[in-house]
Amino acid sequence: MPDRTTYLVLPGYQNSGPEHWQTRWETAEPESFRRVEQADWDHPDRTDWVARVDAAVAAAAAEGPVVLVAHSLGCVTAARWVATAPADRTAAVRGALLVAPADVDTAEVPELVGFRPVALEPFPFPTVVVSSTDDPWVSPARARALAAAWGSRYVEPGAYGHLNSDSGLGDWPEGRTLLAEL
């Protein structure tokens, strides 16, 4: 089996646009970064989103190690996948970068209600949760609580909003450093 790591990119609600750091990473290294495409980015279905993550992990694991690179609702999807996937499937994952997890338990967006409650089981592999001090989708206290529940290292880079394209991160080299540390 090759030892090339596949980075599965898990965008959140409404996907990640061309200026988002996830998309930039995929564009820079298309042989290593693969987006998990969802059937409907604007009307997400938890069961479908989790199933697509599971299928993507299974396919990538046949080629080598897997690392998840999640943003927002993608973090919540990853947590639900961990809570429901068989142990042999989660064993294929070496780590996860979980950026700006959306607190769907308090979100007032009807499309996100189906993702409640956020799964709080510990991840069986190393994880890092990164959350801004002024993220409109999750409070710092809630982000720290999610990180603790998931058994994650917690990183708070400062006030950058939702750590998305509006945050002005560009290629986000700090995120790449955190990913490399996994």
Side-chain angles (χ1 to χ4, degrees):
M1 178 182 333
D3 60 359
R4 180 181 59 86
T5 299
T6 298
Y7 298 91
L8 291 178
V9 177
L10 311 178
Y13 175 55
Q14 298 182 326
N15 205 350
S16 294
E19 296 303 315
H20 196 286
W21 56 267
Q22 284 182 315
T23 305
R24 288 172 174 248
W25 293 3
E26 284 177 275
T27 301
E29 294 184 57
E31 69 285 349
S32 297
F33 286 81
R34 293 185 200 158
R35 182 168 302 218
V36 176
E37 292 292 341
Q38 298 295 347
D40 192 339
W41 292 106
D42 296 327
H43 302 93
D45 176 82
R46 182 175 80 181
T47 301
D48 182 56
W49 277 40
V50 170
R52 287 175 182 259
V53 169
D54 190 59
V57 169
E63 300 172 15
V66 178
V67 173
L68 306 178
V69 181
H71 180 260
S72 193
L73 191 60
C75 300
V76 175
T77 303
R80 179 60 56 189
W81 174 75
V82 163
T84 59
D88 64 328
R89 187 89 78 231
T90 59
V93 178
R94 301 292 169 88
L97 181 64
L98 306 167
V99 181
D103 186 3
V104 297
D105 292 340
T106 61
E108 296 181 21
V109 177
E111 289 82 4
L112 306 184
V113 172
F115 283 78
R116 292 178 180 169
V118 174
L120 299 176
E121 286 79 4
F123 282 59
F125 43 79
T127 57
V128 176
V129 169
V130 184
S131 187
S132 167
T133 56
D134 63 347
D135 189 326
W137 288 91
V138 66
S139 70
R142 177 65 168 166
R144 284 190 294 273
L146 291 173
W150 294 338
S152 304
R153 175 179 162 217
Y154 181 71
V155 176
E156 196 173 78
Y160 289 97
H162 196 47
L163 294 165
N164 57 13
S165 54
D166 293 338
S167 301
L169 299 172
D171 292 337
W172 195 32
E174 298 84 357
R176 290 296 292 246
T177 299
L178 292 169
L179 184 62
E181 291 172 0
L182 280 171

